[in-house]
Structures are given as C-alpha cells and as structure tokens.
Amino acid sequence: MATHDSEFDLIARIRARAATRGDVLLGIGDDAAILRVPTGRDLVVAMDTLNVGVHFPEDTAPADIGWKALAVNLSDLAAMGAEPAWCVLSLSVPCADAAWIDGFLDGFFELAARDGVALVGGDTTRGPLSVCVTAHGLVAPRGGLRRNAARVGDDIWITGTLGDAAAALRQWQTGIAIDAALRARLDRPTPRVAAGRALAGIAHACIDVSDGLLADLGHACRASRVGARVAIDALPASSALRAAFDSNDLRALQTAGGDDYELCFTAPVTARLAIEEAMALCDTPVARIGAITSDSGRVMACDASGAEWTPPRRGYQHFAN
Amino acid sequence: MATHDSEFDLIARIRARAATRGDVLLGIGDDAAILRVPTGRDLVVAMDTLNVGVHFPEDTAPADIGWKALAVNLSDLAAMGAEPAWCVLSLSVPCADAAWIDGFLDGFFELAARDGVALVGGDTTRGPLSVCVTAHGLVAPRGGLRRNAARVGDDIWITGTLGDAAAALRQWQTGIAIDAALRARLDRPTPRVAAGRALAGIAHACIDVSDGLLADLGHACRASRVGARVAIDALPASSALRAAFDSNDLRALQTAGGDDYELCFTAPVTARLAIEEAMALCDTPVARIGAITSDSGRVMACDASGAEWTPPRRGYQHFAN
C-alpha cells in the first residue's frame, strides 16, 4: 500500500538526497537558492518539461522518468558546449506515493551524480504527472556553441546512433514486444555532455536532436541561413535497430523519429582529425553524415545515387493537428 | 473560433513579444540561453509552478494566470532581497489557442516590464494547463535575505495586508459574489520586489507569505531555531476584507489563508525607524505585528488580553489528506 507524504515531507525526502557543490551558497529550503558563478564564466540556462503520455509512455518506470527529465535538459546544455552545474526541479504528481518518489529520485540523482549537477531548489505540486527541470551550466565568454553558426562547406556530424528511441516508441504504440536495447535508449537517453564541452572551440554550429534529425538540422540551417545535404546511408544505426526494421522504416526512424538526444554539429573540413580525436577521448562515437550547402533553409536527405529521399513526416510537433 | 498554432508558431509568438536586456548574450531560440552575471554579484534562482484548479480557479482570466505565474516567482526573489533579472517559462496547454496565449502573454509581460525581467527561454508542451517559471535574480555577496536569520527579540513585520486572496477564494468556493478588490488580490498578487531589495542589509530573516502567515512564519522560526508571538489585532486588513467577514473569519483568513505574497520579516528593535523610512521610500505599507521569542519552533497568535488564539487550520499543504 502506498504511503502518502505531505508536501513538506516530500521536500524533506528530496532534500535529504540532494548532493551539493562548493559554489552552492544556499540550496534547498529557502524561498530561492543562491549560487556563485565563477568570474569569467557565462551562465547557460535550459528548461524542459516532460508530461506523462506526451513525452514518455504511461508505463515508464519512475527511475527512468527521473533520469530522462534531467537528461533532456543536460542534453540542451551539452548542445551549447556548457559544463553542467545546478538544476531546479518542479514535480507535479497526482499523489505523493513514497515508493514512486524514491524511484524517481534514484534515476534523477544517478544522472545528477554522473554529471556533477547539484539540485538546489524547485517545488512540488499536486496535479497530473509532469516534471519540469531548469538546468544551469557554465561556459567561457564567447565559448558557447550556437545553432546559428553553420557555414557553407562545413561537414555535418552526429554523435552516437539515430532512431533507437523512436523505434521503441513505435513498438510500444503498435503493441509488439519492445526490444530492450531500444527501450533503454527511449527511457535513458545519455546527454552528450563531455562531447559538447570538447566540441566548444572546434565545432561551428551545434544542436541536440530531440525533434528528429532533419527537423533539428532544419532549425540550425534556418538560424544560420544555409542548407544541408545529408547522406542517408551514412546515418549511424544500432544493431538493434537494423535487426528490427526494414530499410525504409529504418530511414524514417533515423531522420524523423526524434528523442535521440545526440548532438548534430557542423565543423570545417580542416577539423576532421581534431573532431575524431576529441570524440575518441570522451568515448563518443561520431559519424560524418553530410555537408552544409548554400541552399538556404533546404535540408535534403540523399541516397547513394544522389537522389533525394523524403521521409514520411518531419519531426514531432506538439499541437500538430 | 479558436486559431490553433503549431509549437513553433507558439514559440515565435512568445519570442516576438519578449523584451531583452544588455546582459542577455543569447535569448529565446537556441537550445539554451546565455547570460552574463556581473562580477561581484551572486545568482538567486527560484522556481514555482501553477496548476489549474490547484493554484488558481478554472475561470481565471489568461492575463491573470500569466501575471500570477511570474508574480509568485518574483515574490520568492523579493524574499531573498534580490534584483530580478531573467526568467524562463514552461507552458503546458491542452491546445494552442492564439487568443488565450496572447492574453496570457499580456499579463506575463506586463509584470516582466514592471520589474525589468527578460524572458530568455523555456518550452511549450501539450498537456493539462500548467505554468512553470524559473526566475533569476542578483544579490551582492552575502547580501541575500534568508529565512534562518531571525533572532530572539527581533520585531516581526509584514508588508501590505493579509487575507484578501484567501477571502476571494473562499467566496469563489462558496459560490457567493466575489468582491472585486479581493479577487484582484487573488489574481494579481504584487511581488514586493522594491521592498525586498530595500530590506537587504536592514532585516534579519525574510520569507514571503504563500502558505499562510503562521505557517510561513513557522518555517522561518524552525529554520532560525526561535519562536514567535504575533499580535492578532495588529495584523493589517484591507477595508474590503473587514467589510466582508466577521472578526473570527477575518483572523482565520489573515493568519492561515495564504496566497498573500507579502513579505514577513524580522529586524532588530533598533531598526524600526530605518524600516519605516525604507518602506515609505518604496510606497510599501508595513506593520509591526509581533516579536521573536526563544520558544523554539512555537508560533503563537495572541489577542489583546494576551490569550492565545488558534486558527482553524494552519496553512495550505498540497497532498494534505
């Protein structure tokens, strides 16, 4: 039987497990946190919300929800080349079930510890299950990666593999058995924090892939007033994805699936060796998948013959009719 | 008929209306914002969420929801003595109705402009109506007000009047006509930003009253390991509140109602004149309502005869059974 906590017990439960850092002058327990930003560093702020049934399936384990709520925010910091520092958490739950909360915190704090992030505040409210996180990171002045910095002739790169999370979601939606490796990618995306930091100073533009590769690359191209040509056969795929889907489904999942939380970045051709060395140093697989063109705003995926391939849909939009 | 926007149109609609500041190096439109914290200032971070039906009645005007979502966060910054600077907004809405969004932004940006706050990022999601804001402010090193700094013998002070918002909520809940002045206090709380900043360096402990005076004063007392004695007849009440409720209801609303967003602070007796002058300078009514005692953790409300008065309930807790 579930144990129900009051709001204050819930905050005490969270506070008891929150790690701290030397630059946290005042953490959980007051009206706000007080933090010290080191001299000569700029502050990077990202905020993302996960709602049940929209951003994760209803049957997602509480620990995976906790992990993912922080992961999607750290992925945004990674795409800026920032070093994660602090976060705040707003947790809306229908009722305060102690076992559920403990599971949620297991996943949340596991990732927070991995990336040295201190939880310094937030709030808990009653409502439909929803998790909002604001993550704070640090970058050197003018050191942040931006999506609007792609240049014509740049290589386009991607970390990791594409399509796994969307594949798990499709299996879940169609009611077939979900491959465990794919499900792990849906439930526990790994923010590319070390890769993002290593790319600051090497890459031109960078964005994390959450809406789908072509959609997110499109955002970067429009912001940079350039185009992109992607070699569809160069897109990295996991063996689990290749085993479970035919080549047309595979392409659709890789280009438009979303929820990958890999970094898509552009860099000059002269940086190829530096990128491969930097990614090897942080154990991050990386693939070169295309080039930036002058065809402003146009993102093309092409097969080996050079023919354009159009995915069935581009990206996932909330509110799409 | 409602016009429905896609998520990206919605973000464009928000971005078009967001003001900026010189210290915003990168605002809405990338994976994260980049902000410059001035040398010699510490960062203050507050996060609060409003859920429909829990934190505001279903019939609340969108502009009032926008105002209040930011106000409750700026009230937290005010309680720390911080100068507001930036905020991020996560907006979950069941559907993207353009008229609703525009109304919401009217209220949100009206308050943001009043207090010089730049909206620098966030996200929009589909889900039950919920508004989460993270507000960022600045304080001088060791200049922030904390709730754990009350000392035995301190005066206890409160800004403004108490009980109005809770009175409007009670009228709404019981279905009687809602007094417009009281409803305005429920829908458009005024964060005491100037007062909070003026009190930094004068006051000892400070907290904003959101859960109810005695509950919030209790939090400050427990954090400070002191007690409090409040003179129930000294609590400031608006004329609208006095007109609508008898003295027992009045006391209950003033001590336990919540949603006041006034500042409750403690200060040495020697600071009385400085406080009255500082509050007059920022046009903030202030009343002296009691004293800090050595009776650790005990908050007493007393009538003119010195007899203790116990409110029917203490504060509002989400998840309370």
Side-chain angles (χ1 to χ4, degrees):
Chain A
M1 197 178 126
T3 305
H4 288 77
D5 290 351
S6 78
E7 182 181 9
F8 297 113
D9 290 343
L10 185 53
I11 293 171
R13 190 175 283 268
I14 295 171
R15 186 181 185 177
R17 294 183 59 179
T20 190
R21 293 165 46 113
D23 50 15
V24 178
L25 306 182
L26 183 64
I28 297 171
D30 212 306
D31 288 303
I34 306 181
L35 308 165
R36 177 143 305 164
V37 175
T39 303
R41 302 277 271 171
D42 286 330
L43 178 68
V44 180
V45 180
M47 181 189 224
D48 258 323
T49 297
L50 301 186
N51 292 333
V52 65
V54 179
H55 301 97
F56 54 88
E58 288 82 353
D59 67 353
T60 306
D64 292 335
I65 298 170
W67 173 287
K68 188 167 182 175
L70 182 57
V72 300
N73 280 279
L74 297 187
S75 181
D76 282 327
L77 295 187
M80 308 299 290
E83 174 192 358
W86 318 291
C87 67
V88 287
L89 163 68
S90 176
L91 182 59
S92 285
V93 290
C95 67
D97 173 333
W100 191 95
I101 296 291
D102 286 342
F104 174 89
L105 295 177
D106 286 345
F108 189 92
F109 285 125
E110 183 182 346
L111 181 57
R114 192 201 80 146
D115 285 324
V117 179
L119 175 65
V120 298
D123 74 340
T124 59
T125 57
R126 183 163 52 85
L129 180 57
S130 177
V131 191
C132 181
V133 171
T134 302
H136 298 81
L138 302 168
V139 285
R142 291 170 296 280
L145 294 167
R146 302 178 181 211
R147 62 174 63 176
N148 68 356
R151 297 181 206 166
V152 175
D154 275 1
D155 291 324
I156 302 170
W157 300 78
I158 188 84
T159 60
T161 60
L162 290 167
D164 298 323
L169 192 60
R170 185 181 295 183
Q171 290 177 331
W172 183 82
Q173 285 167 335
T174 52
I176 64 173
I178 307 178
D179 181 279
L182 299 178
R183 178 79 200 225
R185 290 270 291 162
L186 176 65
D187 289 341
R188 295 239 173 180
T190 304
R192 296 293 190 182
V193 171
R197 293 182 65 188
L199 290 169
I202 305 177
H204 283 160
C206 188
I207 193 167
D208 76 325
V209 178
S210 53
D211 296 325
L213 174 69
L214 298 186
D216 286 311
L217 190 53
H219 300 158
C221 284
R222 277 188 297 280
S224 304
R225 299 166 196 265
V226 295
R229 172 184 283 261
V230 170
I232 190 97
D233 295 324
L235 300 182
S238 69
S239 52
L241 188 70
R242 290 191 192 282
F245 292 90
D246 68 26
S247 73
N248 214 44
D249 277 346
L250 188 84
R251 287 177 172 185
L253 291 165
Q254 288 183 291
T255 55
D259 246 5
D260 296 298
Y261 302 102
E262 296 293 351
L263 297 183
C264 178
F265 58 98
T266 82
V269 173
T270 52
R272 287 179 185 175
L273 187 61
I275 285 167
E276 283 168 358
E277 287 179 349
M279 295 300 95
L281 271 176
C282 57
D283 280 329
T284 304
V286 71
R288 193 152 43 81
I289 60 169
I292 294 296
T293 69
S294 59
D295 197 358
S296 184
R298 178 136 193 250
V299 177
M300 291 176 65
C302 301
D303 64 19
S305 72
E308 183 168 5
W309 178 85
T310 309
R313 65 181 184 88
R314 289 204 172 193
Y316 174 71
Q317 291 197 351
H318 308 298
F319 311 122
N321 294 313
Chain B
M1 198 177 126
T3 305
H4 288 77
D5 291 353
S6 78
E7 182 181 9
F8 298 113
D9 291 343
L10 185 54
I11 292 171
R13 190 175 283 269
I14 295 171
R15 186 181 185 178
R17 294 184 58 179
T20 189
R21 295 164 46 111
D23 51 15
V24 178
L25 306 181
L26 184 63
I28 297 171
D30 211 307
D31 288 304
I34 306 181
L35 309 165
R36 177 142 308 163
V37 174
T39 303
R41 302 276 270 169
D42 286 330
L43 177 69
V44 180
V45 181
M47 181 189 224
D48 258 325
T49 297
L50 301 187
N51 292 333
V52 64
V54 179
H55 302 97
F56 54 88
E58 288 82 354
D59 68 354
T60 306
D64 292 335
I65 298 170
W67 173 287
K68 188 167 182 174
L70 182 57
V72 300
N73 280 278
L74 297 187
S75 181
D76 281 328
L77 295 187
M80 308 299 290
E83 173 192 359
W86 318 292
C87 66
V88 287
L89 163 68
S90 177
L91 182 60
S92 285
V93 290
C95 67
D97 173 333
W100 191 95
I101 296 291
D102 286 343
F104 174 89
L105 295 177
D106 286 344
F108 190 92
F109 284 125
E110 183 183 344
L111 180 58
R114 191 200 80 146
D115 285 324
V117 178
L119 176 66
V120 298
D123 74 341
T124 59
T125 58
R126 184 163 51 84
L129 180 57
S130 177
V131 191
C132 181
V133 171
T134 302
H136 298 81
L138 303 168
V139 286
R142 291 170 298 280
L145 294 166
R146 302 180 181 210
R147 63 174 62 177
N148 68 357
R151 296 181 205 166
V152 175
D154 275 0
D155 290 324
I156 303 170
W157 300 77
I158 189 84
T159 60
T161 60
L162 290 167
D164 298 324
L169 192 61
R170 186 181 296 181
Q171 289 176 333
W172 183 82
Q173 285 167 334
T174 52
I176 63 173
I178 307 178
D179 182 278
L182 299 178
R183 178 78 198 227
R185 290 270 290 164
L186 176 65
D187 289 339
R188 294 236 173 182
T190 304
R192 297 293 189 182
V193 171
R197 293 182 65 189
L199 289 168
I202 305 176
H204 282 159
C206 188
I207 194 166
D208 77 324
V209 178
S210 53
D211 296 325
L213 174 69
L214 297 186
D216 285 311
L217 189 54
H219 301 157
C221 284
R222 278 188 296 279
S224 303
R225 299 166 196 266
V226 296
R229 171 184 285 259
V230 170
I232 191 96
D233 296 323
L235 299 182
S238 68
S239 52
L241 189 71
R242 288 192 193 282
F245 291 90
D246 67 25
S247 72
N248 214 43
D249 277 345
L250 188 85
R251 287 176 171 184
L253 291 165
Q254 288 182 292
T255 55
D259 246 3
D260 297 297
Y261 301 104
E262 298 292 351
L263 297 184
C264 178
F265 58 97
T266 81
V269 172
T270 52
R272 287 180 184 174
L273 186 61
I275 286 167
E276 283 168 359
E277 287 179 347
M279 295 301 96
L281 271 175
C282 58
D283 281 329
T284 305
V286 70
R288 194 152 45 80
I289 60 169
I292 294 296
T293 69
S294 59
D295 196 358
S296 184
R298 178 136 192 250
V299 177
M300 290 176 66
C302 302
D303 65 18
S305 72
E308 182 168 4
W309 178 85
T310 309
R313 66 182 184 90
R314 289 205 170 190
Y316 174 72
Q317 291 197 353
H318 308 298
F319 311 122
N321 293 314

